[in-house]
Amino acid sequence: MQHAPLDNLFQQFFNWRVKLSQELHFLHSWLREQKLANIAVNEKIARLLATLEQEKITVAVVAEFSRGKTELINALFFADHGKRLLPSGAGTTTMCPTEILYEDSIPPGLHLLPIDTRANPQALHEYKKNWNGWAAVPFDLDRPETISDACKPLAETIMVPVETAELYGLYDSKADDATPVIDGKVEIPRWRHAVFNFPHPLLKQGLVIIDTPGLNAIGTEPELTLSTIPNAHAVLFVLGADTGVTKSDRAIWLECIATAGIPRHNCLVALNKIDTMWDDMRPAADYDADIAQQIKKSAQTLGLPEERIFPVSAQKGLIARVQHNLPLLERSRLLPLEKALAEELPQTHLDTMRHALKADVADLLRRVELDLDARRENNVQRQKELAALQGKSREFLNAYAHQAAGTREAFESVSGRLDKLQAVVARHGYGLLNTLDPKLWHMQVNAARTKMQSSFFSKGVVDAMHEFMANTKANLAAARTQSEEIHGLADAIYKRFMDEHGFKQPVPARLTFERYFAELLWLEKKLDERFGSLFRVITSAKSTYTKKYFDALAGNAVQIFQTAHTDAGLWMKDLMQPLQTEVMGRRVWLAQRESDLAVAAQTGQTAGEQFLNLGAEMHNLHGQKTRLAEFRERLKVVLPEHNVWWDEGEAA
Ligand SMILES: Nc1nc2c(ncn2[C@@H]2O[C@H](COP(=O)(O)OP(=O)(O)OP(=O)(O)O)[C@@H](O)[C@H]2O)c(=O)[nH]1
Ligand SMILES: [Mg+2]
């Protein structure tokens, strides 16, 4: 059977990650062997490797229930399993959002978060930090045919009293489509969220798929629309070719995609179940015309170019793949969709990631190079000095050596001064880290929550949320000012050492806040959209939904701070490192010089042995520079200028 484009993409993505981390490991062990790996270099490489390791590609599959999402996931990604991996069937089968991934820190199996966690304020991502409260159904990996059955809990529901369902935000008696009440009870999903942890090759290579339930469930879990779906690298929206865009399809499209800030180029639409239109009694041209008409109508309703809509039959595609039936695969039209998805993914997120890695690798190499240059420069000075002292009297050499010892001692005080200045910078750094401390944010969140709870009017509830957002922005702005001041201080110190001692290492770049501000502004926009109109305020204030919305919003804001806090910590660690390395290098040089001159004063010689040693060192430095240039070239191949790394053969 034809090799699938997505398999190819992920294989290449994986190969590329392996290749890059191999190159970084080679570079690191060489730097260590050559004693060129200082703390900053070690940390930078460790960080690069961790980034590569954690990198995932996320695809969210979004649709109303029973459109064939799960079947499409089976057909696109897991047909090699030989049967239906995830359960799909008539009626609602995926009752809660399901993340399909591989995570080796938890056992393979279905991990399920109970629905009663909805009574707590913690956001979903917080539950993922601790798996204790999750139920687990282990997979028997030796009997893959049992996995689909093990996933039956995904469809489980329970009957709970109306008040409980209201508490969870899963029942609203005023809603047009309110669930029927039987003996004071209503049916709700048993689980809030599921993680399908399975060591499939694609998942091990970094693929994460989010299988979402229909409108009812999406609407009750604001975290899905506020972060999970917008953060996916590609969104696949599924329609039924038999139904076209229904009212609820349109509602999901608006809620999760059109207003969720998802760039159009990240979104593809599958017009599924085209096999329901197959009719061997009709001319093929009529069938083609019907499909074209459905595409046109769907494109118009969704406001999307027609090329983004892919007619497909997930069910027949899966059968074709399992049975190796090429004509059926062709007829299912699965491949064009798969190809589009494979082309889409690398162009978006992966390029951004590659650019970030490239900048970090370039910075790392530049630092090592500057270090080598400084060592070379020191040796040239030593050589020149010894040459100029040739033929001088023993007495002169003695006095000169004495002076060199004085210079070395004097420099000790310079490095002591740097330590003090560094302590000042670090103190300011603590201030910055305090401003960004996520713990403070938890306090702010609680304060806003109390305010919301005590507000009698709906306006007060929404005002509390807006106030929270305003505080968040103000604090981020304060942190930015602090970081600017710290950078200014570091810059002045670097300049002073440059002027006084001829140092060359430039001050590291500023800490940028644009990304965090953009994320906060986006959250604020969502808040305005959700609670902007008075009607919505009245209907939704103080409801469980409003609380859940705030929890998700606050959870996102705290995460932004968490990231900013981590970034600021790393930035602070890095800020004075280059200067410190240079001062250390100068100290070594001055000590070597002192010992050169002491030998010269003792023996009356400034040539011979010492020159030979210096010559060997220069030779060594030259060799190191050449080797570093080789590493640079090899890394350039893995991180090229142009977007070609995923091309056939490139990552092999
Ligand atoms: N004829 C036809 N039926 C399909 C196709 N894809 C899915 N189905 C059927 O549609 C029904 C729903 O499929 P699922 O994959 O469970 O749909 P879903 O969107 O995941 O549904 P929920 O998880 O319940 O929201 C099942 O009976 C499938 O067999 C298709 O391409 N053609
Ligand atoms: Mg499903």
Side-chain angles (χ1 to χ4, degrees), residues 70 93-94 211:
T70 309
T93 47
T94 321
D211 188 1

Side-chain angles (χ1 to χ4, degrees), residues 160-177:
V160 294
V162 167
E163 307 78 61
T164 311
E166 275 173 344
L167 175 72
Y168 298 163
L170 297 174
Y171 180 74
D172 178 0
S173 58
K174 289 183 219 87
D176 297 340
D177 56 350

Side-chain angles (χ1 to χ4, degrees), residues 65-71 88 90 92-94 273 275 314-315:
F65 70 89
S66 259
R67 295 292 182 263
K69 294 176 292 287
T70 309
E71 192 75 333
S88 126
T92 306
T93 47
T94 321
K273 308 193 187 183
D275 57 293
Q315 192 189 63

Side-chain angles (χ1 to χ4, degrees), residues 62-69 214-215 218 237-258 269-271 298 301-302:
V62 180
E64 182 54 303
F65 70 89
S66 259
R67 295 292 182 263
K69 294 176 292 287
L215 180 61
I218 290 183
F237 185 67
V238 189
L239 293 169
D242 45 349
T243 49
V245 187
T246 65
K247 202 172 150 209
S248 58
D249 286 327
R250 214 175 107 74
I252 295 199
W253 171 263
L254 286 175
E255 170 84 23
C256 299
I257 299 166
V269 175
L271 194 58
S298 309
T301 318
L302 302 178

Side-chain angles (χ1 to χ4, degrees), residues 303 467 536 641:
E467 193 183 312
R536 297 196 87 145
E641 282 304 320

